[in-house]
Amino acid sequence: MDALANAFADLQEWLFEALVQPLAFGLGLGNRLEDAYDATGWLLIGLLQLVVLLAVIGPLQRWRPVEAVTDRATVRVDVFYTLIHRLGLFRLVLFFTLTPLLDDLFGELRVAGLATFHLDDLWPGVTDQPVVSLLLYLVVFDFLDYWIHRGQHRFEWWWRLHALHHAQRQMTMWSDNRNHLLDDLLRDVIVVAVAQLIGVAPGQFVAIVAFTQLSESFQHANLRLSFGSWGERLWISPRFHRVHHAIGIGHESPGKVLGGHNFGVLLPWWDMLFGTANFEQRYDPTGVRDQVEQGRDYGRGFWAQQWLGFKRLVGRA
């Protein structure tokens, strides 16, 4: 583990000195080198994730696909979503806009006497061990993501944004980041705020986000794969998550009654605990009911999808 961490640090240092630092000076951002170094870490993680997608998950999709890919144009749009998120472009925008505001807010709270609660201090000698604390925070953030996901399906205004994610009829490993940018923004604000409140270390937070993203890419893959009766109850498989994307099965409960299935992000435990798990061994078509039955347009290209999502949010689409 230490050898991997050291190798990553060396690679981050090289990439920073060779590319990012000269670029920062060229843009007149020499006073933000510390932030630029952190951004280099996110960029490197994104590049490594893309290598795993292309070298591991891609071949798995070709080995056992659920369906033939007949609309490669819509998949290419999903690739664009993945690139702007995994290579840090979306995070870069947040860095110049929202991050300073959040830093000022939490700084003011600490000055006012609101100390950060460190979750890994619960059991000194145990929960503060690096591996244990990482697993602890991973479970906590997964629990948070479960409830964020249920909110995206529960509240009509939030669903109007999140529906874009479900409108993909050709779900592949690239589909995880296919979201409305306002939807991503809201989720990131919640996650970052909780991370600040429970005292997760920056390095651990990066590891949690990176691991979660890679697992979600695998779960969205066009891959006919189940983990079996026991494995399905330990980790979310592509089959388990595809049920969530299935038309009229995993989402879109009628009216405003909270419903649907398989909201979990990494662990199926929360779905099992709160009665939303569906372990049926099925591989249904994906999409949104009104898209299929009424021909609702969710957009073909990136900007069309973002614009139509905004119009849905304000009730004009």
Side-chain angles (χ1 to χ4, degrees), residues 213-225:
Q213 287 178 333
L214 199 55
S215 183
E216 287 184 287
S217 293
F218 175 68
Q219 291 154 8
H220 284 84
N222 178 26
L223 177 60
R224 188 176 294 273
L225 180 64

Side-chain angles (χ1 to χ4, degrees), residues 277-294:
N278 182 333
F279 289 105
E280 295 178 75
Q281 296 294 311
R282 56 193 301 168
Y283 296 87
D284 297 89
T286 62
V288 185
R289 184 184 286 117
D290 62 13
Q291 175 190 33
V292 176
E293 296 178 354
Q294 303 164 29

Side-chain angles (χ1 to χ4, degrees), residues 91-106:
R91 196 169 296 277
L92 186 65
V93 173
L94 295 184
F95 167 72
F96 283 111
T97 56
L98 191 62
T99 301
L101 296 177
L102 288 175
D103 289 343
D104 290 344
L105 172 61
F106 282 103

